[in-house]
Amino acid sequence: MTTNDAPDRPALLTPLTLRGLTLPNRMVVAPMCQYSVTDGFVGDYHLVHLGRFALGGFGLVVVEATGVTADGRISHGDVGLWSDEHIPGLARVVDLLHAEGTAAGIQLSHAGAKASSRRPWDGGGAVTAENARSGEDPWPTVAPSPVPVDDDWPVPHEMTVEDMAGIREAFVAATRRSVAAGFDVVEVHAAHGYLLNQFLSPLTNRRTDGYGGSAEARMRFPLEVVEAVRAAWPADRPLFVRVSAVDGSAEGTTLEDTVAFARALAARGVDAVHTSGGGLGGGWAHPIGYGYQVPFAERIRTEAGVATVAVGLITEAKQAEEVLARGQADLVALAREAQDDPNWALHAARELTGGSYDSYPVQAGPRLASRDRLLARIGPWTGPDPVQVAE
């Protein structure tokens, strides 16, 4: 990892080199499920949804949780990469991100017991024969142990070693397709209660073979997946892993467990740990507020010796700048804040550089700067008359 420092440059705007990739700044758009495709194929919606963040100045944009198998999707509306036919649509997104100077990432995922879900606006929960949309029938799910997501969810099939080998190879195949699509970063999803997180957590992993029991044994399958992905991913491209530093319940995965997991990830060639939380155990039995997950990123960075991505109610430019300036993380990721303001990165850069529009796309920056000069001359609109002109 190389930091490209410059005198007086805000930390948020400092480039970062990971392997052969140099990110232009430290601002990341985290994966955000949109549940808005059919059969895994991205189209115009995703081109616009993701492209606006590149125009908005973010250094890295990560495509949402992408199913490595059809049965590994969260819902019927999830993005997929289980076939070569999915490559062109994603390559189109990558090309747009690259054209605007933004790096492109993709999060590879298997939902495990949380698969076969309804879209949030359909009510969430498991798909059933009674609540399914037309043509969107439920499917059987798998998990490390036969532990349902909740009382009203189906019991998943307990995976055999052969099942695990098949899913590991599905991650590898999706990784190779990510290369073909031109992605710069692959992120393995081991957070938010999905399959790899289900293996890591004592709440959902009750196996008695070599893949369950101790924290080390619970890590075994996720580490096998990461090793296989790293081997299939080009050596000059960085690999991220997203983790839930703690489960929602205090009886689940602990931060100490995740620090140990992060050390093992770093030893296997992982370049950054994207540090989130929750997804299992229901609710959130931990402190919450602005930057509430930043301490997780800081501790993993310090104790595991690996770069981290901080996320979690980071809303202000100066707040994000402090995270980096204090050495609490190497990158800052936004999700809902970016969705609310796709130009957040440009606004942050302008705020931290005294009002400069230099970071804006050439199609907008000079015109906005000219408008600012006019507004400074005529003063603010005071109303109520909508027309207010200077003599």
Side-chain angles (χ1 to χ4, degrees), residues 19 64 188 191 221 240 280 300 312 360 362 378 381-382 387:
R19 296 187 184 247
E64 66 198 74
V188 174
F221 179 60
F240 289 18
L280 293 172
I300 289 168
Y360 279 60
V362 67
I378 65 175
W381 179 76
T382 56
V387 177

Side-chain angles (χ1 to χ4, degrees), residues 3-377:
T3 297
N4 307 91
D5 292 317
D8 302 322
R9 176 185 283 168
L12 205 60
L13 305 182
T14 302
L16 178 69
T17 299
L18 298 168
R19 296 187 184 247
L21 174 68
T22 297
L23 300 175
N25 60 53
R26 307 298 185 94
M27 294 173 280
V28 179
V29 174
M32 290 181 278
C33 289
Q34 301 296 293
Y35 308 104
S36 297
V37 305
T38 302
D39 296 328
F41 291 97
V42 301
D44 290 347
Y45 175 84
H46 277 79
L47 190 71
V48 174
H49 162 63
L50 297 165
R52 61 184 178 159
F53 301 126
L55 291 170
F58 287 90
L60 171 64
V61 174
V62 186
V63 176
E64 66 198 74
T66 299
V68 298
T69 68
D71 287 352
R73 291 174 293 170
I74 303 167
S75 77
H76 280 280
D78 284 28
V79 174
L81 197 46
W82 62 83
S83 77
D84 290 350
E85 286 71 31
H86 292 112
I87 295 172
L90 288 165
R92 184 172 171 237
V93 171
V94 170
D95 288 346
L96 175 58
L97 298 180
H98 285 169
E100 299 304 325
T102 297
I106 187 167
Q107 185 185 68
L108 302 181
S109 178
H110 192 293
K114 282 190 167 184
S116 192
S117 301
R118 291 199 294 168
R119 297 168 182 82
W121 50 85
D122 288 340
V127 177
T128 67
E130 293 72 32
N131 66 26
R133 290 186 182 187
S134 177
E136 295 190 352
D137 295 332
W139 65 85
T141 60
V142 299
S145 301
V147 179
V149 173
D150 209 338
D151 294 340
D152 55 350
W153 285 69
V155 176
H157 164 71
E158 182 171 6
M159 294 170 65
T160 66
V161 173
E162 290 74 21
D163 293 333
M164 287 186 271
I167 288 176
R168 183 184 66 240
E169 290 310 306
F171 271 93
V172 169
T175 300
R176 291 179 176 140
R177 293 184 185 110
S178 300
V179 176
F183 283 100
D184 306 293
V185 173
V186 153
E187 178 173 282
V188 174
H189 199 357
H192 300 163
Y194 299 119
L195 181 65
L196 299 186
N197 192 182
Q198 290 161 24
F199 269 91
L200 291 166
S201 175
L203 299 175
T204 45
N205 185 342
R206 301 175 186 173
R207 301 178 71 94
T208 57
D209 61 2
Y211 290 95
S214 68
E216 291 74 17
R218 297 196 307 272
M219 292 179 200
R220 183 177 170 189
F221 179 60
L223 290 175
E224 288 178 356
V225 170
V226 168
E227 284 183 340
V229 169
R230 178 71 272 181
W233 187 236
D236 64 344
R237 301 187 200 183
L239 175 64
F240 289 18
V241 174
R242 194 164 204 193
V243 300
S244 280
V246 293
D247 286 332
S249 165
E251 288 73 41
T253 298
T254 67
L255 184 53
E256 290 73 20
D257 293 336
T258 305
V259 168
F261 182 50
R263 288 195 192 103
L265 293 173
R268 287 160 175 79
V270 169
D271 300 283
V273 176
H274 193 165
T275 310
S276 188
L280 293 172
W284 182 253
H286 311 280
I288 192 165
Y290 291 104
Y292 68 106
Q293 294 181 136
V294 171
F296 303 151
E298 180 179 22
R299 185 162 168 194
I300 289 168
R301 186 178 191 264
T302 300
E303 297 186 18
V306 64
T308 57
V309 186
V311 68
L313 282 182
I314 298 171
T315 61
E316 305 296 329
K318 290 180 180 177
Q319 178 195 13
E321 176 71 8
E322 281 298 309
V323 170
L324 300 177
R326 297 184 184 200
Q328 294 174 293
D330 301 274
L331 293 160
V332 172
L334 285 74
R336 296 176 203 183
E337 191 68 24
Q339 206 161 25
D340 184 50
D341 179 8
N343 286 337
W344 190 94
L346 292 177
H347 296 155
R350 186 162 174 263
E351 179 180 340
L352 296 173
T353 55
S356 170
Y357 282 99
D358 290 348
S359 297
Y360 279 60
V362 67
Q363 298 91 335
R367 291 179 179 179
L368 290 171
S370 175
R371 185 191 66 162
D372 265 13
R373 291 191 293 271
L374 173 60
L375 292 176
R377 182 162 61 86

